[in-house]
Every structure is written in structure tokens, then in C-alpha cells.
């Protein structure tokens, strides 16, 4: 069936400029539908509705899809499927490199199959921000930024050159050079359009991004969320995203935060509340009179952590606070006027001066902002919130508890152990809970001037009182954009952060993603030789074990001011209310309250230091690049010349032997279990982004190709090379595989021989023997970052299916995109309750592809006579089509070749 003219052409209206001086353009008017159901719709659903109306062609988007969305109140509970076409796609370099590799690869495949390779081009704007490659190699130095940037370019020259090639080889692709900032802050301050005007048609900005924290833009009233890299590539190529019409949780905010309570305390509270409520696969929409007291930076902080509370979005509709922020960040008056006029005309603007129409939500939550108290989260999960006043008691409980999310099982007699070491010629010691990394980092907080300047005020008060940070604590400050540097300098407070060791180390994603760099060797030895549970405190959003640094088993998320406070204390084993944070040279005891600024103090500095010109200057310079970027020489041509000797960019085998005929679906016969997992296996466990361990299969591969250990770089930086990434799959040193009976590490048992091998070697052995593989897992399999290599890697290893209690949303979608079958145990059942050890062989019989239905029951049979029923987690008809084609990219290529012109 071919596309037809848009059936909603009759509601295309002209938007007049205020005062009647011409018009802004035309738009599809929701009020012109004259449907009373629209007034009750959540604002987030109205954005889906407008997109469906504008893109309706009775082919990719149909009229009955529009009706489903208008009837959201009745249709959402039925889990109906809708298509969604986002306005743009957002990438960062860790995901951008594999996306551009795949696009280049698709061009080659298109060529070989006789199609026009130039049809492989983004059809929507693609914004690619290079921000994930800043390793904190140099810290506590005035020259840290330049030194780290030079090392970054040395390590990543090939990747950067490849992305620079992509920016010229493909249409519609903007590449923001390294050293500019964190993708989500750049998106918030610069890239976010709020309303697009394309060829005279106005429509809301909406974005899908390959980083799960793309949701930060929801704080600006732009609908955005993270998707797998595979899904993003299809969206770039004009494919509608198939999604289940989500329920929307209405979250009412009342009152205002107490003085001294930060946005980070608020977001950690909201995260815990929403985790408890259960919001996976849903939108959360914030409303209520508390919104008028909530600065946009605080909204963005809450929206940012949507993945941690499990929602697809944490959405803040556009209101007067949004418009003020757009002006503050240097958007022109004309642009802001256009945004306000369009959103008011299309009933997408909230005006708190007018009576509010009661909107319908799927469920409701409420929070009085004055009830929020200072807190941290940890030691291993973002939603394990600990009120600050309970921290010391909680820490001791963690030392005692059995190993788990809240436990380290340290024997009582060892809990007061002191590890002696020498640091730069001075005697020093470490105890359990001592802080060895303190990082002001991450998109969650570095875009928020209130917490950044709050941290600087803590530093000033501490310096004025003569307090210092121990020299072996690795302190760092990584702003999300150059604007932060400008306002810290203008406020005169950066020097105090420097005095405590919080020098700026670079602009990008650092400690929070595992780019912590090494800690001092003497400190590292003291930790490992004495089995010390060392701590990291970071203003991040992820603290899963093994992510921040291999040697910090306890990792706490905290506001930037609290990061400074814990760095000064030197330990998390402290009660800030009763114990001093430090002692001056004169012996005076200084307490937490002595260095903590009031909200009024912070607001005053923000008012005088954060100015629109700072944003304009920073972003006027951003697209001009920097000398190192501008001097990169890149190949020309629309087809990429692959270098077979490259250890960074390698042509993956996805389209090898591809023909025009789809292979159809496949069952699984007599498969071995490669790994048997418990709950909460994250994408960090499946495909780590951090350092490459010297004894790993990936290290062996690199050394065989002459790469020196100091040049290994990280897994994240080598995502353009499938050979490295396949070897890095399940290579996290903290992974727990039940086949190993309690042993921790990236190994498994090759069942037929009983050999204990690295996961990669075991998988290759199974493959060479002609055996399929499956994975058994518990709840929340694939939680964490939206990492496409967590699906690509298992596929390259030969994994055909994953059977779990539940999947994280993006990861399940990625598995489908790579042709892996996701199955869920029935409620109340899991591998243990069914008596599965993982040493059985598994057969999964699927019906013929034309007979498979989304969500149907599928029986799994083992070779020792066990039989159990699972739910097939292909959730939509479109996902079944991807499976039939062997994956989403193969589906796109065949569709483009078959398309009639």
C-alpha cells in the first residue's frame, strides 16, 4: 500500500504573529478538531497526537492511529500500539560511532544488493555531540583541561576523524566537536528547539536519543527519551518508531523546597517514590502549584533521572518558567515569541494565571516539596536513597549485611581495619568507607547553576575556615558546558574549588560513566591488599557496582555541594549532625552546618553570575570547533574506505551474506545456557563502557595487534570495532554468574567439557561446535544505559534468546532489533522456582512467522524433561517484522530497495 495525501489537511491553519505583523507559518491545529477529549489529554500525549496528525499518510501512520491517541483515556489501558516519528535524533560519540559505522555499512550493503546507496541518509536532523571520551587522567591541576584534551585526541583521533567524515558524507547531520560539553546540557542550552519551523510548518520539537538520559530535555517541555542505537538509526532513516501508547502518571508538586535542600535531594526522593509506584513503560507528567517555584534547572535534573525511576519520560509542560529559561540561555526574542504563540494556539502551554482544566492521568502521586530532606543514594543503586541524618547508621548496616545491593558482608573483627600506606613520602591510612574519588560530574547536575554554585560556596566557606581535602582523594570537576566555567569565574568562586582540588578536568561525561582514570597506585594497593571497601561520592545518576571505578565498591550519588562536603570529611562513615567535618590547624572543630550555604545565598549568586551573554558566547563558538578538531584530516567520498588493520573502526558482519529474501523467524533447538543470572543485570554488566582489563579477551586481541596496554582506551571508545566489543561482552569484573557457584568475574562453564572459560571463549567454543546459546536471567534484565552493544554483543556471540523475569524497556527493544528472542517467565516463576540450573539444554519452538502474535505464550522444553510456559516479548507487529528480517537494519535496507518511486 502506498502513501496518500494527509487526511488532516483541513486543520492546517496559519499562525499570526502578535500584533498582526505577518505570520510565523502554518500548523496542524488540535483545537480545530473540535474534540472535547483533547482538553483532558496530558500535555505529553498531545505531542504524540500532533506528530501522528502531521505525519498521517495512511501508510506509515494511519487515521485510526490518530483516533487511538485522541481516545487515550480508554485506549492506553489496552496496551495499543501507535507509530511515532520524532522531530530529530540525538547521539553522543560512544553511540554515534557505531551508528555512523552502521550507516556506512548499510550503504555498502545497499550497493551490493543493487540499490542506490545514497538513499541511506538521515531524513530528520541528527545532532551528534562528542562528549563521552574525557578520561580523568590528570586531576587536581590548573592544566587538567588541556592535558586531558590532548590525551583524548591522541587516543581517539581515529574515531573523531571517522565522525568528522560522517558529518560531511551524510546529509542532515550536525557534529558538535569534543571539548564542548555533555550532550544533554548542550541539548538543553542550545540544540533544543522546543518548536520547529521547517519549510513554513510549525510543530513541537521531539527527540529520541541513544543515551538514556536524553529525558533531560523533558524539563524544557520537549518530549524526549532514550532508545537503542539500532532503533535510533531506523528513526533517522524515516521509519516510524512503533511504541505502546503509554499510561501517564500525574505527579503533583506542592509548596517549595526548604532552605539548604537541593535539586539533587529532590530528584533522589522522586526517584525512590516513582520506583516504588512502578512507572516502567509510562510517562510521568509533573503539574501543580509547586511548579511555579521550581526553576527550570531543577526540572531538568528531575527529568534527567527518568531512567533511574524507570519511566520513559519525566515531562514538564512549557510554561512561563520555560520561556524565562529560553531567554536566559540566549534564544532570540523572535524565537521565544514564536514558541509561545504556537504552543498557546495549540493548547500545549500551561498558564498558571488561568483556571486549570483538570487533566486525566492513569494514576496520581503527590509530593509536598517542603518534606524533601538532604540525602544521598547508594552504595550500589540510584534508587536506594539514604537520608543524610541516617547515613552513618546505614553505612554500618551495609558493612554487616550479606553481600547484595545494601551489603558488603565485612566480618565484625575486620570492620575497624586500618590500611597503612605511604603517599608521596607521607604516611597515610585508609579505613572502610574512606573516600578515594569525589567527582562533581554528570549531566544530572552540571547543568544546574544552583547546585554548581552551591558547591562553590561550600568550597569558599571551607577554605575560609582553613579546611583541606586529603591529597590522595581524586577530586575533579567536569562541567557540562563552557557556560559553567564562565559563571564560576564571574562569581569569583572557582579559585576555592581549585584550592580543594576540584579543578576543571574537561567538558564531557567523566566519572559517572566510568571515565574516572586511575587512582594513585599506593592508594590502589592499600585497597586491594587489605580488602578495603573504599568509597566514591559523585554527583552522577548511576552508581552500579564496577561502573565508577573497579576499586570503589561503595558509590554514592550526592549533590555537588555534598560531594565537596564528603571530600572534606574524607569518609562516608560520618554523622554530619554530631561529628565534625574537619579540624582547623588551630584545633577548632568545624561542622557541616558551618560550611552549608542557605538557598537565599545560592540564589543571590546565581542571579548575579548566570547571564544570557555567557550562553551566546559559548554556543557561537561551539560549531567553529577547536584547533585539534579543525586540523583532523578526513577522507572524502560517500562510501567509507574500511581499514582492516584498524582497532577502532571495523566493518561489522551484520549484512554478510544478506539477500533480498527475509530469513523468516527461527526457534531454538537444544541450546546451551551461556550464563545464568540473578536480578538487576545492567547493560554495564553486559557491555561495560569503562576500562579494558589487562587479562581480558579484548586486551589479548589488542595486544596481538600491537596496541600497548596504556593505549587500550575504554570499551566505550572502541564501540566502532565489533571484534573488541564482542570480546568485551559480559566482561564486567563484578558480574555474578550462577554457573560459577558464587565466584565473581567474567567467566562461565562450557557445559559439555566442564571447562571454566572467559565468556567470549566459551561462546566461540559453542559456536564452533554448532550449538545455539540462551541466557537465563532474573528481574530488570538490561537496566541502566541504553547501550546497543548490550544486544549487538550477545548476537555476535551466538545468543539466540534471553529468558528473564522482566526486561528494561530499551534493552528489550534492542534485543528485538538484533534478532534475539526475549521471553519472560510467568508471574511468580523464575529459573530457581522451576528447578533450572542452567546446565540443561533448551528448545524453544516458535510457530511459523505468519502465525506468531505479540505477547503470545511459548513453551520451553529442556533435555531433562522440564517444561515451562513463557511470554514472548515481541510487543508489536512491527517487532515481529524486524525478527522475520533478521533485525531492524536488514528490514530497513530491504524496504528501501523495494520502495516504489
Amino acid at each position: 500500500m502506498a502513501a496518500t495525501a494527509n487526511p488532516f489537511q483541513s486543520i492546517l491553519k496559519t499562525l499570526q504573529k502578535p500584533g498582526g505583523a505577518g505570520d510565523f507559518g502554518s500548523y496542524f491545529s488540535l483545537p480545530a478538531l473540535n474534540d472535547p477529549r483533547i482538553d483532558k489529554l496530558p500535555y505529553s500525549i498531545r505531542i504524540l497526537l500532533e506528530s501522528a496528525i502531521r505525519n498521517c499518510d495512511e501508510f506509515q501512520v494511519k487515521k485510526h492511529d490518530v483516533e487511538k491517541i485522541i481516545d487515550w483515556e480508554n485506549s492506553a489501558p489496552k496496551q495499543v500500539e501507535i507509530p511515532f516519528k520524532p522531530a530529530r535524533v540525538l547521539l553522543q560519540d560512544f553511540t554515534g560511532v557505531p551508528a555512523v559505522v552502521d550507516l556506512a555499512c548499510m550503504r555498502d550493503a545497499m550497493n551490493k544488493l543493487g540499490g542506490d546507496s545514497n538513499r541511506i541518509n538521515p531524513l530528520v536532523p541528527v545532532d551528534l555531540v562528542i562528549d563521552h571520551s574525557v578520561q580523568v587522567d590528570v586531576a587536581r591541576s590548573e592544566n587538567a583541561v588541556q592535558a586531558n584534551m590532548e590525551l583524548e585526541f591522541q587516543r581517539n583521533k581515529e574515531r573523531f576523524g571517522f565522525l568528522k567524515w560522517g558529518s560531511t558524507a551524510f546529509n542532515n547531520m550536525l557534529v558538535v566537536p569534543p571539548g564542548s560539553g555533555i550532550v544533554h546540557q548542550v541539548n538543553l542550552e542550545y540544540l533544543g528547539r522546543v518548536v520547529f519551523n521547517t519549510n513554513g510548518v510549525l510543530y513541537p520539537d521531539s527527540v529520541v536519543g541513544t543515551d538514556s538520559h536524553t529525558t533531560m530535555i523533558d524539563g524544557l517541555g520537549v518530549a524526549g527519551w532514550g532508545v537503542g542505537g539500532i532503533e535510533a538509526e531506523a528513526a533517522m532513516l524515516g521509519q516510524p518508531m512503533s511504541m505502546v501508547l503509554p499510561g501517564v502518571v500525574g505527579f503533583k508538586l506542592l509548596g517549595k523546597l526548604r532552605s539548604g535542600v537541593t535539586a539533587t535531594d529532590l530528584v533522589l526522593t522522586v526517584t525512590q517514590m516513582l520506583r516504588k509506584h512502578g512507572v516502567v513503560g509510562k510517562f510521568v507528567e509533573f503539574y501543580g502549584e509547586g511548579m511555579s517555584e521550581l526553576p527550570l534547572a531543577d526540572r531538568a535534573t528531575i527529568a534527567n533521572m527518568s531512567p533511574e525511576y524507570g519511566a520513559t519520560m519525566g515531562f514538564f509542560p512549557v510554561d512561563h518558567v520555560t520561556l524565562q529559561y529560553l531567554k536566559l540561555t540566549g534564544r532570540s526574542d523572535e524565537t521565544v515569541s514564536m514558541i509561545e504563540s504556537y504552543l498557546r494556539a495549540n493548547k500545549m502551554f500551561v498558564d498558571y494565571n488561568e483556571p486549570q482544566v483538570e487533566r486525566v492521568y492513569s494514576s496520581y502521586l503527590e509530593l509536598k516539596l517542603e518534606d524533601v530532606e538532604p540525602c544521598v543514594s547508594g552504595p550500589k543503586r540510584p534508587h536506594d536513597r539514604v537520608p543524610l541524618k541516617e547515613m552513618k547508621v546505614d553505612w554500618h548496616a551495609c558493612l554487616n549485611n550479606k553481600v547484595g545491593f545494601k551489603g558488603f558482608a565485612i566480618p565484625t573483627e575486620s570492620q575497624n581495619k586500618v590500611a597503612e600506606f605511604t603517599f608521596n613520602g607521607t604516611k597515610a591510612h585508609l579505613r572502610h568507607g574512606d573516600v578515594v574519588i569525589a567527582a562533581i560530574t554528570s549531566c544530572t547536575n552540571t547543568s544546574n547553576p544552583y547546585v554548581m554554585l552551591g558547591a562553590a560556596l561550600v568550597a569558599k566557606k571551607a577554605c575560609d575556615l582553613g579546611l583541606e581535602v586529603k591529597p590522595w582523594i581524586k577530586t575533579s570537576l567536569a562541567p557540562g558546558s563552557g557556560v559553567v566555567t564562565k559563571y564560576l569565574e564571574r562569581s569569583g568562586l572557582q579559585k576555592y574549588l581549585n584550592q580543594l582540588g576540584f579543578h576543571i578536568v574537561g567538558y564531557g561525561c567523566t566519572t559517572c560513566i566510568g571515565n574516572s582514570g586511575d587512582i594513585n597506585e599506593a592508594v590502589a594497593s592499600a585497597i586491594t591488599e587489605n580488602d578495603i571497601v573504599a568509597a566514591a561520592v559523585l554527583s552522577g545518576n548511576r552508581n552500579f557496582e564496577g561502573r565508577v571505578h573497579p576499586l570503589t565498591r561503595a558509590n554514592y550519588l550526592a549533590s555537588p555541594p555534598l560531594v565537596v562536603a564528603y571530600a572534606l570529611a574524607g569518609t562516608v562513615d560520618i554523622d554530619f549532625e554530631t561529628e565534625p567535618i574537619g579540624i582547623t590547624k588551630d584545633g577548632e572543630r568545624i561542622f557541616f552546618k558551618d560550611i552549608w550555604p542557605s538557598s537565599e545565598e545560592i540564589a543571590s549568586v546565581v542571579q548575579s553570575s548566570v547571564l544570557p551573554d555567557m550562553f551566546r558566547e559559548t554556543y557561537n563558538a561551539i560549531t567553529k570547533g577547536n584547533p585539534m578538531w579543525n586540523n583532523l584530516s578526513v577522507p572524502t567520498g560517500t562510501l567509507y574506505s574500511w581499514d582492516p588493520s584498524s582497532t577502532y573502526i571495523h566493518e561489522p558482519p551484520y549484512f554478510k551474506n544478506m539477500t533480498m529474501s527475509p530469513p523468516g523467524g527461527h526457534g531454538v533447538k537444544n541450546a546451551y545456557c551461556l550464563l545464568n543470572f540473578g536480578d538487576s543485570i545492567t547493560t554495564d554488566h553486559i557491555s561495560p563502557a569503562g576500562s579494558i582489563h589487562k587479562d581480558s579477551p579484548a586486551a589479548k586481541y589488542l595486544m596481538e595487534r600491537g596496541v600497548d596496554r596504556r593505549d587500550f582506551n575504554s570499551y566505550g571508545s572502541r564501540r566502532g570495532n565489533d571484534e573488541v566489543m564482542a570480546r568485551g561482552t559480559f566482561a564486567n569484573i563484578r558480574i555474578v554468574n550462577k554457573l560459577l557457584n558464587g565466584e565473581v568475574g567474567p567467566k562461565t562453564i562450557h557445559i559439555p567439557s566442564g571447562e571454566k572459560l572467559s565468556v567470549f571463549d566459551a561462546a566461540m567454543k559453542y559456536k564452533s561446535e554448532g550449538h545455539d546459546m540462551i541466557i537465563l536471567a532474573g528481574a530488570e534484565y538490561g537496566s541502566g544505559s541504553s547501550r546497543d552493544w548490550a544486544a549487538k554483543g550477545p548476537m555476535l556471540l551466538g545468543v539466540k534468546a534471553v529468558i528473564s523475569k522482566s526486561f528494561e524497556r530499551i534493552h528489550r527493544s534492542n534485543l528485538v532489533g538484533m534478532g534475539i528472542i526475549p521471553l519472560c517467565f510467568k508471574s511468580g516463576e523464575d529459573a530457581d522456582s522451576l528447578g533450572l540450573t542452567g546446565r540443561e539444554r533448551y528448545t524453544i519452538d516458535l510457530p511459523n512467522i505468519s502465525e506468531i502474535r505479540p505477547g503470545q505464550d511459548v513453551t520451553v522444553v529442556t533435555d531433562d524433561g522440564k517444561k515451562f510456559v513463557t511470554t514472548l516479548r515481541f510487543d508489536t507487529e512491527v517487532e515481529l517484522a524486524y525478527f522475520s528480517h533478521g533485525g531492524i537494519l536488514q528490514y530497513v535496507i530491504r524496504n528501501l530497495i523495494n520502495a516504489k518511486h
Side-chain angles (χ1 to χ4, degrees), residues 297-350:
D298 290 9
R299 298 176 182 194
T301 300
I302 296 169
N304 176 283
M305 281 189 76
S306 297
E308 282 67 44
Y309 43 82
T312 304
M313 279 207 298
F315 187 74
F316 290 81
V318 175
D319 59 13
H320 68 285
V321 174
T322 322
L323 300 179
Q324 284 166 6
Y325 180 82
L326 290 169
K327 287 177 181 171
L328 170 68
T329 49
R331 271 82 163 196
S332 71
D333 289 347
E334 168 87 356
T335 299
V336 175
S337 172
M338 186 251 312
I339 289 167
E340 182 177 5
S341 300
Y342 168 78
L343 294 174
R344 281 186 183 276
N346 229 2
K347 295 198 172 179
M348 292 178 173
F349 186 86
V350 183

Side-chain angles (χ1 to χ4, degrees), residues 204-252:
D205 186 4
S206 59
V207 59
V208 292
T210 51
D211 188 282
S212 47
H213 294 105
T214 300
T215 53
M216 188 168 196
I217 200 69
D218 303 340
L220 195 67
V222 173
W225 60 87
V227 296
I230 306 146
E231 218 177 345
E233 289 164 32
M236 281 183 224
L237 295 164
Q239 295 296 308
M241 287 173 45
S242 179
M243 62 186 285
V244 173
L245 185 61
V248 183
V249 177
F251 198 124
K252 192 172 193 176

Side-chain angles (χ1 to χ4, degrees), residues 191-447:
L191 296 170
R193 280 70 153 184
V194 186
V195 172
F196 264 91
N197 186 343
T198 305
N199 302 324
V201 177
L202 302 166
Y203 53 96
D205 186 4
S206 59
V207 59
V208 292
T210 51
D211 188 282
S212 47
H213 294 105
T214 300
T215 53
M216 188 168 196
I217 200 69
D218 303 340
L220 195 67
V222 173
W225 60 87
V227 296
I230 306 146
E231 218 177 345
E233 289 164 32
M236 281 183 224
L237 295 164
Q239 295 296 308
M241 287 173 45
S242 179
M243 62 186 285
V244 173
L245 185 61
V248 183
V249 177
F251 198 124
K252 192 172 193 176
L253 297 173
L254 300 166
K256 64 184 288 188
L257 293 171
R258 285 180 287 135
S259 182
V261 176
T262 68
T264 319
D265 302 321
L266 172 58
V267 73
L268 295 178
T269 305
V270 166
T271 297
Q272 189 182 41
M273 285 176 71
L274 287 169
R275 268 276 166 192
K276 191 175 174 189
H277 187 74
V279 292
V280 172
K282 297 184 177 126
F283 290 174
V284 176
E285 187 165 295
F286 293 89
Y287 70 106
E289 40 103 348
M291 292 278 280
S292 56
E293 294 287 347
L294 204 62
L296 196 124
D298 290 9
R299 298 176 182 194
T301 300
I302 296 169
N304 176 283
M305 281 189 76
S306 297
E308 282 67 44
Y309 43 82
T312 304
M313 279 207 298
F315 187 74
F316 290 81
V318 175
D319 59 13
H320 68 285
V321 174
T322 322
L323 300 179
Q324 284 166 6
Y325 180 82
L326 290 169
K327 287 177 181 171
L328 170 68
T329 49
R331 271 82 163 196
S332 71
D333 289 347
E334 168 87 356
T335 299
V336 175
S337 172
M338 186 251 312
I339 289 167
E340 182 177 5
S341 300
Y342 168 78
L343 294 174
R344 281 186 183 276
N346 229 2
K347 295 198 172 179
M348 292 178 173
F349 186 86
V350 183
D351 190 332
Y352 291 103
N353 295 320
E354 295 174 359
Q356 297 298 298
V357 175
E358 196 60 40
R359 290 179 298 285
V360 176
Y361 292 111
S362 311
S363 61
Y364 297 81
L365 276 174
E366 186 175 295
L367 174 65
K368 293 188 173 93
L369 293 173
E370 57 266 29
D371 291 346
V372 177
E373 57 184 336
C375 57
V376 297
S377 275
K380 301 182 188 184
R381 292 191 302 188
H383 51 283
D384 290 334
R385 188 179 69 90
V386 187
L388 207 56
K389 62 188 182 201
E390 295 169 22
M391 182 60 183
K392 189 179 178 81
V393 172
D394 193 82
W395 171 252
H396 283 275
C398 287
L399 288 180
N400 288 318
N401 293 345
K402 66 178 188 182
V403 173
F405 297 122
K406 292 290 287 185
F408 298 105
I410 302 298
T412 310
E413 64 275 13
S414 304
Q415 288 184 12
N416 294 318
K417 180 191 279 187
V418 179
E420 309 278 350
F421 68 101
T422 303
F423 180 83
N424 293 347
T426 306
K427 286 194 170 176
H429 59 261
L430 278 180
R431 292 186 170 89
H432 293 301
D434 278 7
V435 174
V436 295
I437 290 175
I440 299 174
T441 176
S442 151
C443 52
T444 307
N445 285 292
T446 62
S447 62

Side-chain angles (χ1 to χ4, degrees), residues 19-331:
D23 64 78
F24 288 116
S26 55
Y27 69 105
F28 285 91
S29 167
L30 301 187
L33 287 169
N34 291 320
D35 194 317
R37 292 173 296 179
I38 293 172
D39 288 341
K40 287 183 162 186
L41 286 179
Y43 286 92
S44 48
I45 298 298
R46 295 179 199 190
I47 292 174
L48 301 184
L49 174 60
E50 189 283 337
S51 172
I53 289 170
R54 180 169 31 89
N55 290 296
C56 189
D57 59 359
E58 290 297 358
F59 176 54
Q60 288 187 330
V61 183
K62 299 182 178 176
K63 208 169 174 180
H64 73 257
D65 295 317
V66 172
E67 172 55 28
K68 283 183 208 169
I69 302 172
I70 293 175
D71 198 36
W72 170 84
E73 189 179 347
N74 298 310
S75 55
K78 297 173 188 163
Q79 296 280 293
V80 299
E81 179 189 344
I82 59 157
F84 175 60
K85 296 185 100 171
R88 61 188 170 100
V89 172
L90 184 70
L91 306 172
Q92 35 81 325
D93 54 313
F94 272 14
T95 53
V97 168
V100 179
V101 164
D102 289 352
L103 289 174
C105 220
M106 288 172 81
R107 275 196 175 167
D108 290 347
M110 194 87 160
N111 224 20
K112 286 171 192 162
L113 291 168
D116 176 4
S117 62
N118 287 326
R119 292 201 62 209
I120 303 289
N121 250 323
L123 297 180
V124 298
V126 175
D127 299 323
L128 196 163
V129 182
I130 302 176
D131 76 334
H132 267 49
S133 43
V134 184
Q135 284 275 358
V136 187
D137 293 296
V138 179
R140 301 187 78 139
S141 156
E142 297 282 357
N143 303 318
V145 174
Q146 186 62 21
N148 287 323
M149 177 82 104
E150 285 170 8
L151 286 164
E152 185 183 350
F153 266 83
Q154 282 170 29
R155 287 192 193 109
N156 297 290
K157 189 176 176 184
E158 199 177 334
R159 294 170 60 242
F160 293 170
F162 178 67
L163 291 175
K164 198 172 175 184
W165 168 80
S167 69
T168 57
F170 297 101
N171 302 337
N172 244 350
M173 190 179 281
L174 168 73
V175 174
V176 176
S180 305
I182 300 176
V183 56
H184 307 304
Q185 185 159 347
V186 175
N187 193 21
L188 191 73
E189 294 174 352
Y190 175 63
L191 296 170
R193 280 70 153 184
V194 186
V195 172
F196 264 91
N197 186 343
T198 305
N199 302 324
V201 177
L202 302 166
Y203 53 96
D205 186 4
S206 59
V207 59
V208 292
T210 51
D211 188 282
S212 47
H213 294 105
T214 300
T215 53
M216 188 168 196
I217 200 69
D218 303 340
L220 195 67
V222 173
W225 60 87
V227 296
I230 306 146
E231 218 177 345
E233 289 164 32
M236 281 183 224
L237 295 164
Q239 295 296 308
M241 287 173 45
S242 179
M243 62 186 285
V244 173
L245 185 61
V248 183
V249 177
F251 198 124
K252 192 172 193 176
L253 297 173
L254 300 166
K256 64 184 288 188
L257 293 171
R258 285 180 287 135
S259 182
V261 176
T262 68
T264 319
D265 302 321
L266 172 58
V267 73
L268 295 178
T269 305
V270 166
T271 297
Q272 189 182 41
M273 285 176 71
L274 287 169
R275 268 276 166 192
K276 191 175 174 189
H277 187 74
V279 292
V280 172
K282 297 184 177 126
F283 290 174
V284 176
E285 187 165 295
F286 293 89
Y287 70 106
E289 40 103 348
M291 292 278 280
S292 56
E293 294 287 347
L294 204 62
L296 196 124
D298 290 9
R299 298 176 182 194
T301 300
I302 296 169
N304 176 283
M305 281 189 76
S306 297
E308 282 67 44
Y309 43 82
T312 304
M313 279 207 298
F315 187 74
F316 290 81
V318 175
D319 59 13
H320 68 285
V321 174
T322 322
L323 300 179
Q324 284 166 6
Y325 180 82
L326 290 169
K327 287 177 181 171
L328 170 68
T329 49
R331 271 82 163 196

Side-chain angles (χ1 to χ4, degrees), residues 130 276 316 375 401 444 490 541 575 648 698 711 744 818 891:
I130 302 176
K276 191 175 174 189
F316 290 81
C375 57
N401 293 345
T444 307
R490 182 182 171 86
N541 45 52
D575 180 343
Y648 274 105
D711 296 323
V744 177
M818 293 313 295
Y891 170 85

